[in-house]
Amino acid sequence: LGLTGADMDIIRSHKRPPIVFDGTPVDFGYVGDVDRADGQMLGKLIEAGVTPIIASLTHDGQGNILNTNADTMASETAKALAEMYDVTLIFSFEKKGVLSTPDDDESVIPVITRTLFNQYKADGTISGGMLPKI
């Protein structure tokens, strides 16, 4: 069943607040950051034999639809479902894994612990769209 995170109040988010970057105000518009995913509602669908396919739109509970990062939504949905099921979250993408050198497809980092993640994040090895995946 094709749904959005806004349907059935499956995923609730808040509008990302503006920030100042290099002295310039940045307003993210209608970008949402996830507050919660309703694992119980998703569980009811699954128990009824329905496979939910969730598009990356959420809502703020006040009538606003928000564009929300799909990787973050997948992670939050998996965490919510993990309370009831044995869950494995698999990200499929065009690279073999997280690369230490983006232009070298053979530079896959074999294991990333929380400590290594923090180090790679600080030195820029892991950045941008890879952050929500990790």
Side-chain angles (χ1 to χ4, degrees), residues 39-118:
Q40 296 297 319
M41 182 59 73
L42 289 167
K44 288 178 185 178
L45 290 172
I46 292 166
E47 294 299 322
V50 174
T51 302
I53 307 298
I54 305 170
S56 58
L57 296 174
T58 58
H59 74 109
D60 64 3
Q62 298 177 19
N64 297 302
I65 298 294
L66 303 169
N67 184 11
T68 305
N69 182 281
D71 294 327
T72 301
M73 287 183 60
S75 176
E76 293 298 322
T77 300
K79 289 191 303 189
L81 288 171
E83 296 177 14
M84 297 170 285
Y85 303 100
D86 182 17
V87 174
T88 301
L89 176 60
I90 300 172
F91 288 104
S92 298
F93 50 134
E94 67 277 358
K95 299 292 183 178
K96 294 179 181 180
V98 179
L99 305 177
S100 60
T101 307
D103 295 334
D104 179 1
D105 286 347
E106 301 306 315
S107 67
V108 175
I109 302 170
V111 174
I112 300 175
T113 63
R114 181 169 296 280
T115 301
L116 286 173
F117 169 75
N118 290 333

